[in-house]
Amino acid sequence: MRSTLALDNCPAARALDVVGERWALLVVREALAGASRFDEFRDRLRVSENTLTRRLTELTAAGILRRTQYSLKPARFEYLLTEQGRALMPVLAALAAWGNEWTDPDPDLPKPPARPGWLDENTAGIAERRT
């Protein structure tokens, strides 16, 4: 079990206790983009199954995702954003804006879109890549 960052009860530290792990916000980003099933998250993120299982379990326990069974045999589940999870969209938009301002894309990878597809009309202007 991880130790808490929020020993001084700082709201930023409390938030990082929930979504501060390396893969957590990337899982949320993919859920915002429409991923809901384990294999969709795994294929989009190229993350190990063990790591993805832990992140999905933690995000579900934290109330960011809701786990819903969609098949009985075999038992299969999907992970849907809760209101609490959808509320992270502006956080991701701000993080993307910071990345656009202060980091450079890898020239060996495909060019990132000017506007990430997971943004809605309310947050689109925050994270659009400057050309």
Side-chain angles (χ1 to χ4, degrees):
M1 173 146 175
R2 284 189 289 176
S3 62
T4 183
L5 298 171
L7 295 175
D8 60 355
N9 208 23
C10 169
R14 291 194 318 263
L16 286 171
D17 274 345
V18 178
V19 294
E21 190 282 328
R22 175 181 174 164
W23 292 100
L25 286 175
L26 296 176
V27 169
V28 172
R29 179 195 68 191
E30 293 307 319
L32 286 166
S36 64
R37 297 182 178 178
F38 187 90
D39 58 332
E40 293 172 327
F41 288 109
R42 182 195 61 221
D43 295 347
R44 291 179 184 198
L45 293 169
R46 297 183 183 151
V47 60
S48 76
E49 291 188 2
N50 287 339
T51 297
L52 180 57
T53 297
R54 283 193 302 272
R55 292 304 79 77
L56 292 171
T57 300
E58 290 172 0
L59 291 169
T60 300
I64 304 295
L65 296 172
R66 182 181 72 247
R67 183 176 183 239
T68 305
Q69 189 167 6
Y70 69 87
S71 173
L72 293 175
K73 290 187 179 183
R76 301 269 190 233
F77 299 88
E78 62 183 358
Y79 298 85
L80 304 171
L81 288 166
T82 63
E83 180 181 356
Q84 184 178 342
R86 288 186 300 277
L88 287 167
M89 184 180 292
V91 173
L92 279 165
L95 191 60
W98 185 91
N100 282 335
E101 181 71 24
W102 299 104
T103 67
D104 293 318
D106 186 332
D108 296 328
L109 295 174
K111 185 177 180 185
R115 177 179 179 241
W118 47 265
L119 289 174
D120 67 13
E121 61 279 355
N122 297 319
T123 55
I126 298 171
E128 287 182 2
R129 183 158 190 76
R130 294 185 185 119
T131 54

